Amino acid sequence: MNLWARSLRQLAVLAVALFFFSCEDETSILGFKNPNKKFKVNYVDIPLESSVFLLDSLRTSNFFGVSETNRLLVGKYVDDQFGEISATAITQYFTANSSKTLLKETAVFDSVSIELQFDFYSYGSIAPTMQTINVHEVQNEIKIDSTGNYFNKSRTGYDPTPIGSKSYAIAPDLFKDLTENPKDTSLTINFPLDPVFGQKVFASAMRYRNSSTAEDSAFVTRDFFKEFNGLALVPGNADKIIGFNPGATASKIVLHYHDAETDSLALNLTMRVFSFNEITANFASTELASLTQYSQPIAPENKRFVQSGTGVMTRLDFKGFYDFVDADSNSAMIVNSAELHLGAAEPSAVFLPITSLSLRAMKGEAYLKRVVDPAINKAQHLADSASVTLYAGQLGVSGGMFTPLGADGTIFRIAKVEDDIYYNGFLTLFAQQVFKKEENKERFRYFALYPETPPVGKSVNRIIFNKQNIKIRVYYTRPTQPLQ
């Protein structure tokens, strides 16, 4: 670099330095500093009290939203911080032939098999190991609520005798490579099921061929789910939880048959219907051992926990923030910026952390604030929907729950910034709205740290923070003398 270029660069650096100095010190290279400042800009770190609770209504059902992840989770593993985590997938199945082609009269059943396509999600042991999956028939008709939800607190009974089983090798490093470097291939497992089960389904298809009643036509109507409730994919020997894609064409049940004219025919039944995950945790021998009831907060000594699939969440108490902004000395204060800071996550070489979290407003101390189902109370539903307008676009609804929004109008998120180790996020505009005391505007005291990435209910990623690091930093302007 020549002398002339170096001199220009030094002058540019000096100019930038003078600019920031002038902003911070309120001086100007033209004129004099006003000795009687009317405003003072400062910041304060406000520690937030916190606790841990178990959410009683975490939705784990698939095919609910257009853009959400659909995943069947099967497996189990042991985490020294969260205990034993287990996932069983429940799925319905239905004819995949949209034209409802009839089987020929000479059709004869041969065998039945199930095929499952991996979606390359794996959590638990990072070693290449064998996993076992057992397939059971669901015993009772699956009941869902008026909005088509299935929640983590529900349990589904299934026949204890499996109709099929498969042991397969899983190498998480291979899954990671296929996720980061997608190829035009799909990985599946395929194994036979009990022919007695297959014969029952095949008989339903044959009855439809000569159907004269609604009962005979069940194979192509929703009455099919009353006769065939679904399948439970239950873990056997396992040290990790694996994800399968129920929406993939390759995920299916295949009825193999032949007729008088052709051998090796197949009738496919899709899994692109209602399905969900039952995710359980045994917290014994961990700091979460006393977390035995839904919506009953506990306060572990130093750590705060969040896990996507089990409903373990951390509750933040914003009382300290409200006490500060409501102080008489801050009556004329303006909130310039507000940053929620969680600190660094506890590191783990095995259990990958949740990469981003949001906030969910809480109703009282233990329940999430939700928009009431219109089928239950239409008037309250309308009132809940209208209440978000009081926050000037800084409060939204996601999954039926109240959530603060960020500056870009999307869900406010707390995440690591690039290569930083700290989790933080700016919620300035929302903080300014709750700072304002207005009639009919609910000021939420408690917020839950809610998993966003990977998707809650479709993963079991977890994260742990030190409670001492959780705070909100507020930059504010306050007049130094009475305003005229």
Side-chain angles (χ1 to χ4, degrees), residues 228-279:
F228 302 98
N229 302 310
L231 298 178
L233 309 179
V234 183
N237 294 326
D239 61 5
K240 52 181 68 73
I241 288 177
I242 304 302
F244 297 99
N245 182 1
T249 302
S251 292
K252 59 191 175 185
I253 296 170
V254 184
L255 299 175
H256 306 274
Y257 71 100
H258 67 276
D259 59 31
E261 299 177 359
T262 310
D263 287 332
S264 302
L265 296 172
L267 178 62
N268 296 329
L269 290 93
T270 181
M271 294 183 190
R272 199 174 302 187
V273 284
F274 186 72
S275 60
F276 53 90
N277 302 304
E278 292 185 349
I279 305 170

Side-chain angles (χ1 to χ4, degrees), residues 235-468:
N237 294 326
D239 61 5
K240 52 181 68 73
I241 288 177
I242 304 302
F244 297 99
N245 182 1
T249 302
S251 292
K252 59 191 175 185
I253 296 170
V254 184
L255 299 175
H256 306 274
Y257 71 100
H258 67 276
D259 59 31
E261 299 177 359
T262 310
D263 287 332
S264 302
L265 296 172
L267 178 62
N268 296 329
L269 290 93
T270 181
M271 294 183 190
R272 199 174 302 187
V273 284
F274 186 72
S275 60
F276 53 90
N277 302 304
E278 292 185 349
I279 305 170
T280 61
N282 183 350
F283 302 128
S285 302
T286 73
E287 291 188 61
L288 299 173
S290 60
L291 198 63
T292 58
Q293 297 182 15
Y294 292 113
S295 304
Q296 293 294 318
I298 65 171
E301 185 175 359
N302 293 311
K303 298 177 181 180
R304 294 297 178 259
F305 304 81
V306 184
Q307 188 170 44
S308 293
T310 60
V312 175
M313 297 188 184
T314 288
R315 183 188 72 175
L316 306 182
D317 186 348
F318 273 58
K319 182 178 184 298
F321 169 71
Y322 297 132
D323 287 345
F324 172 73
V325 298
D326 290 342
D328 291 340
S329 59
N330 292 327
S331 59
M333 181 185 73
I334 297 174
V335 174
N336 299 321
S337 176
E339 179 184 12
L340 180 59
H341 181 86
L342 304 179
E346 183 177 282
S348 173
V350 176
F351 302 109
L352 295 177
I354 296 168
T355 55
S356 72
L357 304 104
S358 61
L359 293 179
R360 291 294 189 271
M362 300 188 69
K363 181 180 180 181
E365 297 185 4
Y367 297 93
L368 300 188
K369 175 71 174 177
R370 298 178 180 274
V371 177
V372 172
D373 185 345
I376 298 175
N377 188 328
K378 186 175 181 179
Q380 185 60 49
H381 171 80
L382 294 174
D384 288 341
S385 301
S387 64
V388 298
T389 63
L390 301 175
Y391 293 86
Q394 301 311 310
L395 183 68
V397 176
S398 178
M401 295 168 284
F402 285 60
T403 180
L405 302 180
D408 60 356
T410 62
I411 292 175
F412 162 73
R413 294 174 185 260
I414 310 108
K416 289 195 297 183
V417 179
E418 297 180 352
D419 296 329
D420 202 348
I421 64 173
Y422 301 106
Y423 282 72
N424 62 1
F426 285 90
L427 69 164
T428 302
L429 298 178
F430 179 75
Q432 290 171 342
Q433 286 298 317
V434 295
F435 170 45
K436 299 176 182 179
K437 293 181 179 179
E438 299 177 5
E439 188 177 359
N440 297 326
K441 180 188 286 187
E442 183 177 2
R443 184 185 261 188
F444 303 104
R445 173 173 172 175
Y446 299 104
F447 290 88
L449 288 177
Y450 195 85
E452 286 292 337
T453 311
V456 65
K458 311 300 174 61
S459 62
V460 287
N461 294 55
R462 47 84 145 180
I463 197 164
I464 303 172
F465 296 104
N466 188 314
K467 73 170 186 178
Q468 305 296 339

